[in-house]
Amino acid sequence: MADIEKLVDQLSALTVLEAAELAKALEEKWGVSAAAAVAVAAPAGAAAPAAEEQTEFDVILTGDGGNKIAVIKEVRAITNLGLTEAKALVEAAPKALKEGVNKAEAEDIKAKILAAGGTVELK
């Protein structure tokens, strides 16, 4: 029973972004619905004090996920870099793709890189 309480405490400490990443990881791992995982995470977040919402994000490429060519193509499209510069950026990961962008643009960039097989972190 103590392990369950410890797990509940750990889940309660997650940020909204971390909870969303957890939901996605569970969906990918076990094929469960993200709606169910978010429903579980929402009450935990409600108990935490409201923090000021972040308005600017840095999109950090953390890896190519083994799909280097596809990720390079997306990096070129996102950053308007040449092939050599985009390849160097992908190979030097973790590197910032864009800095100080709004949440919608950051999520859009993240989705494009994830679809190409890369890994991204929003800060």
Side-chain angles (χ1 to χ4, degrees), residues 72 75-76 79-92:
I72 290 171
V75 168
R76 286 187 69 201
T79 61
N80 293 322
L81 292 173
L83 179 59
T84 305
E85 293 85 3
K87 181 178 181 273
L89 191 148
V90 170
E91 289 175 344

Side-chain angles (χ1 to χ4, degrees), residues 49-74:
E52 187 176 318
E53 188 173 337
Q54 185 176 351
T55 58
E56 290 189 352
F57 295 85
D58 294 340
V59 182
I60 312 296
L61 176 69
T62 56
D64 63 23
N67 295 317
K68 189 177 194 178
I69 294 172
V71 174
I72 290 171
K73 287 180 182 179
E74 282 303 325

